[in-house]
Amino acid sequence: MARSLARPPKTVDLHAEAFIGDLDSYEIDELLAESLDHLREMLDAAIYWGYPEIKFIHGKGKGILKKLVYEELRYYKSTGSISHYHPSYQNEDIVVVQIGV
């Protein structure tokens, strides 16, 4: 059986400039929504491919993206889709998501 989702990278940058070409045509709230969509897409693909973990770079800034990322991960954890998540021990701008139980 062929897999329909592409394999995601093991570390995903959620900053919009990493995956959107023309940032000028977006408002800030649209960029945040795109970043969350990207997180969902990559996390769903990692779950699909059976990754034990995946890392997401949310950065520092004002902490808006980080807050939204952690809210989304709380939802995934509450549904049982992921085991747990925590800031990276090497870099607090990265969250490590443990998928397997």
Side-chain angles (χ1 to χ4, degrees):
M1 179 174 137
R3 303 260 181 167
S4 59
L5 287 176
R7 253 185 214 275
K10 304 235 184 222
T11 301
V12 178
D13 190 346
L14 295 176
H15 294 96
E17 59 268 11
F19 58 91
I20 295 177
D22 181 21
L23 295 179
D24 295 334
S25 62
Y26 290 86
E27 297 293 326
I28 191 70
D29 58 331
E30 294 173 318
L31 291 173
L32 287 168
E34 290 290 336
S35 291
L36 284 180
D37 286 345
H38 191 58
L39 171 118
R40 291 180 194 112
E41 183 180 316
M42 295 294 108
L43 183 52
D44 290 345
I47 292 167
Y48 178 82
W49 280 96
Y51 283 22
E53 77 173 28
I54 188 168
K55 298 174 184 173
F56 293 99
I57 302 169
H58 52 68
K60 288 183 181 138
K62 295 179 181 176
I64 297 167
L65 180 57
K66 178 180 180 178
K67 179 180 179 243
L68 294 173
V69 165
Y70 275 80
E71 285 175 11
E72 191 66 23
L73 292 175
R74 271 192 293 280
Y75 170 76
Y76 270 84
K77 185 169 177 9
S78 74
T79 65
S81 300
I82 62 173
S83 172
H84 62 281
Y85 53 92
H86 57 83
S88 168
Y89 300 118
Q90 290 84 23
N91 184 342
E92 64 185 32
D93 300 342
I94 298 173
V95 61
V96 179
V97 179
Q98 300 295 320
I99 297 170
V101 286

